[in-house]
Amino acid sequence: WEDWANGQIIVAGAVDQSSNIAEFSHRAGAVGKNVYLDAGGDSILTLGTDGNYFYYSGTSFAAPHISVAAALLFSAFPNLTGKEVADLLFDTATDLGSTGADAIYGRGLVNIEEAFKPKGASSITVRNFSGDVMAVDVNSSALLGGNAFGGFAGFSEAGNNSMMVDGYNRA
């Protein structure tokens, strides 16, 4: 939450299989509730150094879940900044505890499925008649074209070079 962090810091907390805060996990607190996410961290099946599997618990098992969610977003959408990835994870987390960010669960349980869904105002990027690429807001524009609408001035050709994007400029 400090300016130097540029909105890119995520504090990890651990929940159990029922999405209850794990008794060993730190809580978000009043100061950190807006930068705190939860992930599974209680009784996680893992491989030991002896080659045997065992269950282990800790926020050190929750943090990688959040890190992998961020890595998946960076991989799928390389145009996103660190702040945008953090914002997506915060804004799409499954709310736990009291409604909204709270001192126990923070922003809630990381939800990668929701983070991959379109967010914000949708627009369509098109190449205009002069060859420049521009974004057209879907909600405030009427895009017409094709032979049913007269096939005017090559709009159908421009539509072939278009792409719908969300508020984060993700295809």
Side-chain angles (χ1 to χ4, degrees):
W1 55 93
E2 296 290 338
D3 290 341
W4 60 263
N6 196 27
Q8 301 177 103
I9 301 290
I10 300 173
V11 178
V15 294
D16 63 19
Q17 292 82 354
S18 299
S19 296
N20 295 313
I21 194 80
E23 65 180 57
F24 57 82
S25 181
H26 287 283
R27 281 33 178 181
V31 175
K33 68 183 181 181
N34 287 314
V35 294
Y36 187 98
L37 282 176
D38 300 291
D42 187 46
S43 298
I44 303 296
L45 184 63
T46 188
L47 182 64
T49 56
D50 60 0
N52 292 316
Y53 290 95
F54 65 99
Y55 289 94
Y56 196 81
S57 299
T59 53
S60 56
F61 283 86
H65 286 100
I66 297 167
S67 298
V68 166
L72 287 170
L73 288 168
F74 277 125
S75 177
F77 309 106
N79 62 301
L80 294 178
T81 65
K83 181 178 182 350
E84 289 171 327
V85 167
D87 286 345
L88 266 169
L89 292 174
F90 291 138
D91 293 343
T92 60
T94 301
D95 196 18
L96 299 174
S98 300
T99 303
D102 65 67
I104 296 174
Y105 294 97
R107 299 294 286 269
L109 182 67
V110 69
N111 186 336
I112 192 64
E113 179 180 4
E114 192 64 28
F116 267 85
K117 292 180 182 176
K119 300 293 172 219
S122 295
S123 60
I124 297 176
T125 58
V126 296
R127 189 172 305 278
N128 65 17
F129 301 116
S130 63
D132 298 324
V133 174
M134 59 184 289
V136 178
D137 184 353
V138 173
N139 296 322
S140 63
S141 301
L143 296 174
L144 307 174
N147 291 332
F149 297 99
F152 55 88
F155 181 83
S156 295
E157 179 69 25
N160 290 335
N161 297 315
S162 64
M163 175 181 7
M164 179 165 289
V165 294
D166 72 357
Y168 285 93
N169 204 28
R170 300 181 299 167

